[in-house]
Amino acid sequence: MTTPYSLRHDWTLSEVNALFNKPFLDLLLEAQLVHRAFFEANKVQASSLLSIKTGACPEDCKYCPQSGHYNTELENEKLMEVQRVLNEARQVADSGATRFCMGAAWKNPPEKDFPMILEMVRGVKALGLETCMTLGMLSQSQSEQLASAGLDYYNHNLDTSPEYYSHIITTRTYEDRLDTLQHVREAGMKVCSGGIIGMGEHRDDRAGLLQQLANLPSHPESVPINMLVKVEGTPLDKVEDTDPIDFIRCIAVARILMPESYVRLSAGRESMSDETQALAFMAGANSIFYGDKLLTTANPGENRDQLLLNKLGIAIEGGEDSLRYHPKSDNSDMFYDAMQHGNPDTRSPNQQPH
Ligand code: SAM
Ligand code: DTB
Ligand code: SF4
């Protein structure tokens, strides 16, 4: 059976905006149907985060508590010893999370530290966890070394639209970010790339960010959608709160544009209600950060997450590749057909009658 949505890499801004402008319930239904056509329903992937080098970052990302340009009273820490990282990873392996994501507050990883980074990848991999790192910009050679050491995923976010980007970061360009994503791809690693909602951006910027991600030569396997965590001392700490419904729209549009990708309901869950999180899962989010800390800020602890997931009947999945192209759950085809025939303008050109 053909999947109802073919993968596209040619989305126009007006098409993406048209999705954003749909009635909320229509958008949510479409996203959930796309989700069920590509993934098993009621399952989420769980990753744990560890900051392996904290603070004093030379970059000026206006959202970030770890930038050395702002005073956030964060305690800076140099690169962690490999054994300490592996001890943390052992605990994660027992928690139910399947991926261990190590983050460093660097513009790019210094060559002198690179052998330790590679050792961490090998060590975490040997514990049976999937490995992910986010270390800033990478050269082609560094990407290849990480891939050879067994790094499964590299996280590098586009963060926002190309147009809004310079309001948020001035110390590296959008092009720099795209270059790193290309190096990661060429080295054969899986790409984790997404952005942040709630930095004072316009809806067009949210559409622009998702358009950029969806129009990459291959969709990122993992798309983290972060809600800004406002940290005192950063230039964005007083920005207006994002309406949760607007945030859910971003998740739903990401799901529709990148049907095969894991969409991660990422930073910001600590201050989200259970109902908002439930709507995010309905909109097609199927991945979370698990554990009581993100990199430097709080995340709901495992107890709160277990209660929520139990309430919703959602299980943490064991290994993500086994679930790709899972047979469609229940009768999503029937609903999908009904929706398509009821709303002809939601059909892509190759689905329209001739
Ligand atoms: N330094 C590396 C880099 O920026 O590429 C890796 C670590 S950085 C903290 C990873 C991502 O975390 C950023 O790209 C951003 O999307 C996200 N992030 C950082 N601070 C955040 C905040 N306050 N709220 C939401 N997301 C945030
Ligand atoms: C991503 O998109 N979000 C994570 C992960 N990738 C590295 C980081 C969120 C950081 C939130 C702020 C903090 O805890 O420092
Ligand atoms: Fe540094 Fe990354 Fe924070 Fe930017 S997001 S200031 S690069 S740690």
Side-chain angles (χ1 to χ4, degrees), residues 291-308:
D292 57 11
K293 209 166 168 201
L294 293 164
L295 290 172
T296 66
T297 64
N299 195 43
E302 286 169 25
N303 290 346
R304 181 178 160 201
D305 275 344
Q306 273 307 337
L307 278 173
L308 174 63

Side-chain angles (χ1 to χ4, degrees), residues 51-77:
S51 180
I52 59 170
K53 186 268 169 189
T54 305
C57 183
E59 301 291 277
D60 69 352
C61 312
K62 288 194 172 50
Y63 49 76
C64 186
Q66 302 201 67
S67 167
H69 294 257
Y70 320 121
N71 182 10
T72 58
E73 295 187 0
L74 184 70
E75 211 164 297
N76 300 330
E77 284 172 42

Side-chain angles (χ1 to χ4, degrees), residues 64 74 86 100 110 187 195 210 268 283-284 299 310-311 315 340 350:
C64 186
L74 184 70
L86 298 186
F100 189 58
L210 297 178
N299 195 43
N310 285 345
K311 260 200 284 191
Q340 287 294 282
N350 59 5

Side-chain angles (χ1 to χ4, degrees), residues 10-302:
D10 59 353
W11 290 92
T12 63
L13 200 56
S14 60
E15 284 177 309
V16 180
N17 271 319
L19 288 171
F20 269 98
N21 288 333
K22 277 182 162 228
F24 183 65
L25 297 184
D26 289 358
L27 178 65
L28 213 59
L29 176 62
E30 181 168 345
Q32 179 63 200
L33 290 171
V34 170
H35 183 65
R36 284 170 184 247
F38 284 84
F39 286 97
E40 189 174 6
N42 305 313
K43 285 270 166 75
V44 293
Q45 184 277 334
S47 298
S48 269
L49 270 173
L50 177 69
S51 180
I52 59 170
K53 186 268 169 189
T54 305
C57 183
E59 301 291 277
D60 69 352
C61 312
K62 288 194 172 50
Y63 49 76
C64 186
Q66 302 201 67
S67 167
H69 294 257
Y70 320 121
N71 182 10
T72 58
E73 295 187 0
L74 184 70
E75 211 164 297
N76 300 330
E77 284 172 42
K78 61 180 181 35
L79 184 62
M80 258 187 201
E81 300 290 331
V82 176
Q83 280 315 319
R84 242 186 96 193
V85 174
L86 298 186
N87 286 342
E88 297 280 344
R90 270 183 212 104
Q91 291 176 30
V92 165
D94 292 338
S95 76
T98 53
R99 191 175 311 153
F100 189 58
C101 182
M102 294 157 267
W106 280 326
K107 183 186 185 78
N108 45 257
E111 282 305 319
K112 70 167 175 45
D113 291 327
F114 217 66
M116 270 169 77
I117 292 291
L118 297 176
E119 227 183 292
M120 289 174 196
V121 175
R122 290 188 205 101
V124 173
K125 192 95 184 133
L127 296 173
L129 285 162
E130 288 182 318
T131 50
C132 175
M133 280 187 161
T134 180
L135 315 170
M137 295 191 287
L138 288 185
S139 66
Q140 189 61 50
S141 148
Q142 289 175 324
S143 306
E144 277 157 20
Q145 292 176 66
L146 286 168
S148 305
L151 189 65
D152 297 302
Y153 289 80
Y154 195 77
N155 166 247
H156 199 64
N157 291 338
L158 293 180
D159 278 346
T160 191
S161 68
E163 294 75 19
Y164 198 61
Y165 184 84
S166 63
H167 295 261
I168 302 297
I169 300 139
T170 68
T171 48
R172 75 173 98 149
T173 66
Y174 214 76
E175 269 313 306
D176 289 334
R177 289 187 185 249
L178 292 168
D179 287 348
T180 291
L181 293 182
Q182 192 182 340
H183 296 153
V184 170
R185 263 285 170 245
E186 282 172 4
M189 287 182 283
K190 292 182 194 165
V191 169
C192 172
S193 189
I196 308 179
I197 307 302
M199 302 190 291
E201 74 284 350
H202 189 266
R203 188 188 271 192
D204 276 357
D205 297 307
R206 298 173 184 169
L209 163 69
L210 297 178
Q211 179 197 24
Q212 287 288 325
L213 293 166
N215 289 349
L216 288 170
S218 308
H219 294 165
E221 281 80 1
S222 166
V223 180
I225 306 292
N226 297 278
M227 171 82 99
L228 176 71
V229 178
K230 292 185 222 172
V231 179
E232 217 178 305
T234 61
L236 295 181
D237 68 348
K238 301 278 184 312
V239 81
E240 206 182 313
D241 279 346
T242 304
D243 182 326
I245 300 292
D246 288 340
F247 178 76
I248 301 299
R249 282 184 186 276
C250 299
I251 301 263
V253 174
R255 165 52 63 226
I256 292 166
L257 299 186
M258 294 168 279
E260 278 191 359
S261 305
Y262 277 73
V263 175
R264 181 174 300 134
L265 173 57
S266 202
R269 290 199 302 116
E270 172 71 356
S271 60
M272 264 175 221
S273 68
D274 285 0
E275 292 86 343
T276 299
Q277 295 189 60
L279 279 177
F281 296 131
M282 187 69 189
N286 61 342
S287 174
I288 55 171
F289 283 122
Y290 197 54
D292 57 11
K293 209 166 168 201
L294 293 164
L295 290 172
T296 66
T297 64
N299 195 43
E302 286 169 25

